[in-house]
Amino acid sequence: MARGCDHPAGCHTGVVPTLASATVGARLWLLIEYSGPWPTRIEDGTLPGPIAELVRRARERGIRPQLIRRPGRRTQTRTREQGLRVLAGYAAGEHPWLAGGVVAGPDDLDLDALVAGVVPESCILEDEPVFLVCTHAKRNACCARIGLPLARGLAEIMPDRVWETSHVGGDRYAANLVCLPHGIFYGSMSQAAAIAAANAYRSGEVILDRFRGRAGIPEPLQAVEHFARAHTGERTLGGVAVESARTDGDVTEAIVRIGGVRFQVVVEPSVFQAPCGTVCAETITTYRLVSLDRLAPVRYATPALT
């Protein structure tokens, strides 16, 4: 039976802090269109053969597989003869990309190319971002109850750019929104918050309201970025660069560069008592800012003339 929250007013309205909670192990993505029933766990082998094989191969290579379908549509899934629609995403580095195509089967999609950061030959680069809304009812009832209307409403505004998707991590933050190719996560989304986040992303920016972080980055460094953005007002996607970081026990210290200015940011875990107190989340581990200091510019001595 899918889990769910008995007190949705407390759990999924933005009261619970969302910062530094984006899925750490997701820098490479494989989205597979499948409008049939989604199992509780897509890796359990019960999906149709070609899809199950793609999921298996992706997981072997450290690629995160996701099932996707169009909001509100339950059309017949493509047959093996028609091919499978896929989207491959590379969210690592400064220049992430997303590429789509229709493949006849697993052998026609070069996942090793994706791992190497190269667009597979069977795919073509997408020129617009894609937005995923988790609606995986068998994994958590809240994801469907809150995610389904959100996905449909967002799709009305951005046709063909929005997909329902299987579990993305963090059911307690439903409704979850993922912006690809960068892997930007938002949680506890309302319709208005989702529209604002999607429009910001299309403009090359993030907003901190209900921002979970960027996937593929350790949670303490997600927290470092969040507090640096909050302090400076920096919103551009690539505007915050972590130059170095070290962890001593629970405390993480990082040097962050924003434009020509460097900051020392120190964070540590903090426990938040969830107001709902249900299986969604009784307590949540989040992060608090210990200190944030602007560093003096590095000055280099002028060599003496001889």
Side-chain angles (χ1 to χ4, degrees):
M1 180 180 294
R3 297 178 302 151
C5 178
D6 297 328
H7 302 282
C11 282
H12 304 291
T13 60
V15 174
V16 173
T18 60
L19 70 94
S21 63
T23 302
V24 173
R27 306 200 78 180
L28 307 172
W29 297 75
L30 176 62
L31 316 180
I32 309 165
E33 184 179 9
Y34 180 59
S35 59
W38 296 348
T40 303
R41 298 184 179 276
I42 68 172
E43 66 271 18
D44 69 4
T46 61
L47 291 165
I51 296 177
E53 179 62 13
L54 273 176
V55 168
R56 185 190 68 79
R57 293 185 185 186
R59 287 172 56 83
E60 281 184 349
R61 291 163 173 80
I63 301 168
R64 184 178 182 92
Q66 297 284 145
L67 301 179
I68 58 173
R69 60 192 174 204
R70 288 299 186 189
R73 302 180 194 173
R74 294 296 180 267
T75 56
Q76 184 177 1
T77 301
R78 293 174 181 270
T79 65
R80 187 168 182 175
E81 290 73 23
Q82 293 173 313
L84 294 170
R85 177 173 174 76
V86 297
L87 289 163
Y90 186 80
E94 298 181 359
H95 303 288
W97 50 261
L98 193 67
V102 177
V103 298
D107 292 337
D108 293 317
L109 182 61
D110 187 356
L111 293 179
D112 291 327
L114 172 57
V115 172
V118 178
V119 176
E121 290 186 358
S122 54
C123 297
I124 298 174
L125 280 173
E126 299 273 316
D127 56 7
E128 291 285 339
V130 159
F131 302 95
L132 308 180
V133 179
C134 180
T135 61
H136 200 163
K138 286 188 177 179
R139 193 64 179 258
N140 188 288
C142 292
C143 293
R145 178 176 56 79
I146 308 172
L148 282 169
L150 178 67
R152 291 167 183 166
L154 204 57
E156 290 178 0
I157 299 171
M158 292 176 284
D160 299 326
R161 307 317 302 169
V162 179
W163 297 87
E164 294 179 25
T165 193
S166 53
H167 177 68
V168 297
D171 299 330
R172 69 193 62 171
Y173 305 111
N176 282 299
L177 174 70
V178 182
C179 310
L180 291 176
H182 286 79
I184 300 297
F185 273 56
Y186 290 92
S188 302
M189 300 302 278
S190 64
Q191 287 282 352
I195 292 169
N199 285 336
Y201 184 67
R202 295 173 86 178
S203 299
E205 297 182 344
V206 299
I207 56 177
L208 294 188
D209 181 30
R210 312 187 193 204
F211 179 50
R212 290 184 58 189
R214 182 172 177 177
I217 298 174
E219 289 176 353
L221 297 187
Q222 293 182 38
V224 164
E225 177 181 342
H226 183 101
F227 290 121
R229 288 184 181 277
H231 179 77
T232 63
E234 178 61 51
R235 295 294 183 266
T236 57
L237 284 168
V240 179
V242 177
E243 293 186 339
S244 62
R246 68 183 184 90
T247 298
D248 184 5
D250 288 337
V251 177
T252 296
E253 174 187 314
I255 304 300
V256 176
R257 177 173 47 79
I258 300 177
V261 182
R262 298 164 73 244
F263 298 87
Q264 180 189 60
V265 186
V266 181
V267 300
E268 67 180 5
S270 175
V271 176
F272 177 84
Q273 186 69 43
C276 51
T278 70
V279 291
C280 274
E282 293 185 356
T283 60
I284 292 175
T285 299
T286 181
Y287 287 84
R288 76 174 191 91
L289 178 64
V290 176
S291 64
L292 191 155
D293 298 298
R294 179 170 176 163
L295 299 178
V298 177
R299 299 185 181 279
Y300 298 95
T302 303
L305 298 177
T306 57

